[in-house]
């Protein structure tokens, strides 16, 4: 899929008549007067700038100010974390839902000229809400209309718009390949492709094929000057950085080109639950020792959760095997007999059906593939996540200590989920992409989910307490964490537009990127020296803001 652009260089204003310009300016002036925001003057100048550099229809169809009747619904449609739905969080001055690359170029040009931060939203699943909230005035570009997917089943590749969701990609790839091709990425189908791939992206195919980012072979990226760059024109350093280092620090991702991978016509899934009376703790401990060493066709995730109102736990093991149940059962009996998987626990299905199954957690009925196409089909909730990497099995007594934290009030809202590494995932060099966490046995996430805002403080504090408790049992120097599991509590850039040094950003940057952080800073300094593309955890430039004159 090639981006819809007339130029690969700088943007050019559209030719519009003087009469049209006056009408458009009058329309924008009316909108600005209705907006009583403190940054009224900047808004007005920004909107006037857009009118000079855009087609007339652009204004009425894709620009939404806070006074527009559709503004709130557009903002909230893809605001996935209710924790950031509160009015206390700054809303975008303007929301833009472009259909064409030239419209993004116009927004970028005018935002730079008038000092408005630009934030891009692909699917709205950033755990800290950084794709739709900010501490300074900003414009939000919502890429929901950039969801085109072009599959070449013969070449086993696809161009995917940055605004497409994983579910849309899975559905399209399966449809175009008669269920024989897949794409290795995450479990949640409403996650946006643009951000997910740029941070890594893993799921039930990762031990066979690696990360989603490992399958990226080209990209179309808009740089700070509005140019559309592909892999060749951006260079290998920038191409390296946007695969695992987060694209938001470097530009605006328009589309990815990815390799597709082979899957058998039949895969087998199961989900089994074990209680403490059924030796859940010992089984989980055994899982830690063998899950990363199993054949790469098999991924078994392991979850731990307390039962509301009771001092007890359950362990939840969910698996996907690239093959039939008749091959899976002997393998499980040989390598992991403690789990006691039976044939009746298993279901055979196509790979694309398994993506619905895993999202629904043991959905034995209603594997409706249309759910993959519905961005709004899943409930929204308050959420907070923290994550770790583990190299050595967590002792049984440490697991039991974890239970004590989860037994506290609100602990049933926290799900401790682990995905095993190994296989192809660990064979790839830690410097092949910006994602560096290849030498671990498994990834551990403390995922909190709740539905009542009154519980927010209690649950967040408990999630933090659990994270602190686990410190002795996870990676150290640095205590590594996954960039797609964004956590501002591990460190953040200085408030607002204040300069953040490389050393200051290293507090969090080394945890996400380890030794790759310094290379990411070098790429950032070259690609965006004045740090226009920035947020609370964006890669810093070595150039202090204000030391160079910006080219508007």
């Amino acid at each position: 899929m090639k981006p819809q652009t007339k130029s690969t260089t700088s943007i050019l204003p559209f030719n519009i008549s003087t009469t049209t310009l006056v009408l458009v300016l009058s329309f924008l002036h009316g909108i600005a007067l209705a907006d009583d925001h403190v940054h009224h003057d900047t808004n007005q100048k920004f909107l006037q700038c857009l009118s000079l550099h855009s087609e007339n229809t652009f204004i009425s169809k894709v620009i939404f100010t806070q006074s527009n009747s559709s503004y709130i619904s557009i903002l909230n449609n893809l605001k996935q974390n209710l924790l950031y739905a509160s009015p206390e969080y700054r809303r975008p001055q303007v929301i833009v839902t472009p259909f064409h690359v030239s419209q993004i170029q116009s927004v970028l040009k005018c935002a730079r000229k008038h000092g408005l931060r630009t934030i891009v939203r692909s699917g709205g699943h950033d755990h800290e809400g950084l794709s739709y909230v900010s501490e300074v005035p900003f414009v939000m570009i919502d890429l929901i209309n950039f969801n085109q997917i072009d599959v070449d089943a013969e070449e086993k590749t696809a161009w995917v718009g940055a605004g497409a969701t994983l579910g849309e990609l899975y559905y399209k790839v399966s449809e175009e390949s008669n269920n024989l091709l897949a794409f290795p990425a995450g479990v949640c189908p409403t996650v946006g492709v643009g951000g997910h791939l740029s941070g890594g992206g893993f799921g039930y195919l990762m031990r066979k094929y690696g990360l989603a980012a490992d399958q990226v072979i080209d990209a179309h990226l808009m740089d700070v000057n509005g140019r559309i760059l592909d892999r060749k024109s951006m260079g290998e350093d920038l191409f390296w950085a946007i695969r695992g280092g987060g694209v938001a620090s470097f530009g605006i991702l328009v589309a990815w080109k990815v390799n597709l991978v082979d899957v058998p016509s039949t895969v087998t899934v199961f989900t089994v639950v074990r209680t403490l009376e059924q030796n859940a703790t010992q089984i989980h401990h055994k899982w830690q020792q063998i899950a990363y060493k199993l054949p790469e066709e098999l991924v078994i995730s392991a979850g731990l959760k307390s039962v509301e109102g009771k001092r007890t736990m359950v362990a939840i093991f969910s698996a996907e095997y690239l093959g039939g149940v008749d091959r899976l059962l002997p393998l499980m009996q040989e390598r992991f007999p403690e789990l006691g998987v039976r044939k009746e626990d298993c279901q055979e299905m196509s790979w694309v059906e398994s993506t619905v199954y895993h999202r629904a957690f043991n959905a034995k009925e209603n594997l409706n593939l249309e759910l993959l196409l519905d961005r709004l089909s899943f409930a929204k909730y308050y959420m907070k996540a923290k994550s770790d990497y583990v190299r050595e099995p967590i002792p049984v007594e440490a697991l039991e200590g974890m239970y004590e934290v989860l037994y506290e009030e609100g602990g049933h809202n926290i799900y401790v989920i682990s995905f095993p590494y190994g296989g192809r995932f660990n064979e790839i060099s830690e410097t092949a992409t910006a994602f560096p966490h290849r030498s671990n046995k498994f990834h551990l996430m403390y995922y909190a989910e709740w539905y009542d805002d009154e519980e927010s403080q209690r649950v967040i504090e408990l999630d933090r307490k659990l994270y602190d408790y686990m410190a002795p049992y996870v990676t150290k120097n640095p205590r590594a964490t996954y960039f797609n599991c964004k956590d501002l509590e591990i460190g953040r850039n200085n408030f607002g537009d204040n300069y953040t040094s490389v050393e200051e950003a290293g507090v969090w940057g080394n945890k996400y990127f380890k030794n790759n952080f310094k290379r990411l800073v070098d790429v950032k300094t070259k690609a965006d020296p004045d740090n226009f593309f920035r947020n609370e955890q964006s890669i810093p430039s070595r150039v202090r803001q204000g030391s160079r004159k910006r080219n508007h």
Side-chain angles (χ1 to χ4, degrees), residues 236-300:
E236 287 301 305
D237 282 343
L238 183 51
F239 185 65
W240 171 87
I242 64 175
R243 293 173 297 142
V247 72
S249 296
F250 304 98
I252 299 174
L253 193 284
V254 176
W256 298 110
K257 185 179 183 182
V258 298
N259 278 324
L260 305 177
V261 301
D262 295 312
V263 288
S265 57
T266 298
V267 306
T268 304
V269 298
F270 67 76
T271 298
V272 296
V273 179
R274 296 292 179 258
T275 65
L276 295 184
E277 292 74 21
Q278 295 170 316
N279 294 320
T281 305
Q282 291 73 21
I283 295 172
H284 190 284
H285 191 252
K286 178 63 179 291
W287 173 91
Q288 296 181 58
Q289 300 172 62
I290 59 97
Y292 72 99
K293 296 189 290 187
L294 293 171
E296 62 186 13
E297 292 80 14
L298 175 61
V299 171
I300 307 174

Side-chain angles (χ1 to χ4, degrees), residues 366-385:
N366 192 30
L367 293 175
N368 181 6
L369 297 185
E370 298 299 317
L371 288 173
L372 297 175
L373 305 178
D374 188 353
R375 291 172 178 259
L376 306 177
S377 61
F378 299 101
K380 296 181 181 179
Y381 35 76
Y382 299 85
M383 61 181 176
K384 173 64 183 175

Side-chain angles (χ1 to χ4, degrees), residues 143-444:
L143 294 178
I144 190 170
N145 298 317
F146 278 71
N147 65 341
Q148 184 178 346
I149 302 170
D150 293 334
V151 174
D152 187 331
E154 184 174 344
E155 293 294 326
K156 298 182 182 179
T157 62
W159 274 104
V160 190
T165 65
L166 295 181
E168 290 169 341
L169 176 58
Y170 297 160
Y171 186 97
K172 184 70 171 180
V173 169
S174 176
E175 181 181 55
E176 294 291 328
S177 68
N178 196 28
N179 292 324
L180 294 179
L181 293 176
F183 184 72
V187 172
C188 181
T190 57
V191 167
V193 166
H196 184 70
L197 274 62
S198 79
F202 67 80
Y204 283 94
L205 291 177
M206 68 175 173
R207 301 189 65 250
K208 178 71 173 179
Y209 293 112
L211 293 169
D214 297 329
Q215 305 302 326
V216 174
I217 55 175
D218 204 345
H220 288 142
L221 177 75
M222 184 179 296
D223 73 1
V224 70
N225 296 309
R227 299 173 298 183
I228 298 296
L229 308 175
D230 61 8
R231 179 174 183 172
K232 182 178 180 180
S233 58
M234 76 176 71
E236 287 301 305
D237 282 343
L238 183 51
F239 185 65
W240 171 87
I242 64 175
R243 293 173 297 142
V247 72
S249 296
F250 304 98
I252 299 174
L253 193 284
V254 176
W256 298 110
K257 185 179 183 182
V258 298
N259 278 324
L260 305 177
V261 301
D262 295 312
V263 288
S265 57
T266 298
V267 306
T268 304
V269 298
F270 67 76
T271 298
V272 296
V273 179
R274 296 292 179 258
T275 65
L276 295 184
E277 292 74 21
Q278 295 170 316
N279 294 320
T281 305
Q282 291 73 21
I283 295 172
H284 190 284
H285 191 252
K286 178 63 179 291
W287 173 91
Q288 296 181 58
Q289 300 172 62
I290 59 97
Y292 72 99
K293 296 189 290 187
L294 293 171
E296 62 186 13
E297 292 80 14
L298 175 61
V299 171
I300 307 174
S301 66
L304 291 168
K305 198 174 188 305
S306 63
V307 179
E308 185 175 6
K310 299 181 180 180
R311 282 183 55 84
T312 192
M313 299 286 298
V314 292
I316 305 167
F317 300 90
S318 189
E320 178 169 307
Y321 176 67
L322 300 178
V325 66
D326 290 343
R327 293 171 55 195
L328 172 61
L329 285 178
L331 173 61
M332 292 298 298
Q333 290 163 2
E334 176 187 356
R335 304 291 293 274
F336 198 7
E338 294 85 352
L339 188 55
V341 175
R342 305 163 301 171
K343 188 169 186 178
E344 51 265 39
D345 296 320
C346 302
Q347 286 182 264
E348 292 184 333
M349 58 185 64
S350 67
W351 171 80
V352 71
E353 287 175 325
S354 78
T355 66
V356 179
Y357 171 91
H358 289 303
R359 180 62 182 91
F361 294 104
N362 195 25
K364 293 189 176 182
E365 305 293 338
N366 192 30
L367 293 175
N368 181 6
L369 297 185
E370 298 299 317
L371 288 173
L372 297 175
L373 305 178
D374 188 353
R375 291 172 178 259
L376 306 177
S377 61
F378 299 101
K380 296 181 181 179
Y381 35 76
Y382 299 85
M383 61 181 176
K384 173 64 183 175
K386 304 176 83 67
S387 74
D388 273 315
Y389 287 99
V390 181
R391 292 179 178 168
E392 298 298 331
I394 300 167
V396 167
E397 56 270 23
L399 292 176
E400 292 172 341
M402 177 197 297
Y403 300 167
E404 292 301 319
V405 179
L406 295 174
Y407 291 155
E408 294 185 31
E409 184 179 1
H412 66 278
N413 293 295
I414 301 175
Y415 186 49
V416 182
I417 177 71
S418 303
F419 266 85
Y421 283 2
R424 175 59 181 158
F425 182 95
N426 284 48
E427 293 171 357
I428 299 170
S429 166
E430 292 200 340
T431 59
T433 67
F435 178 94
H437 310 289
R438 305 283 184 170
S439 60
N440 303 294
K441 288 188 169 77
F442 60 94
H443 174 257
L444 181 64

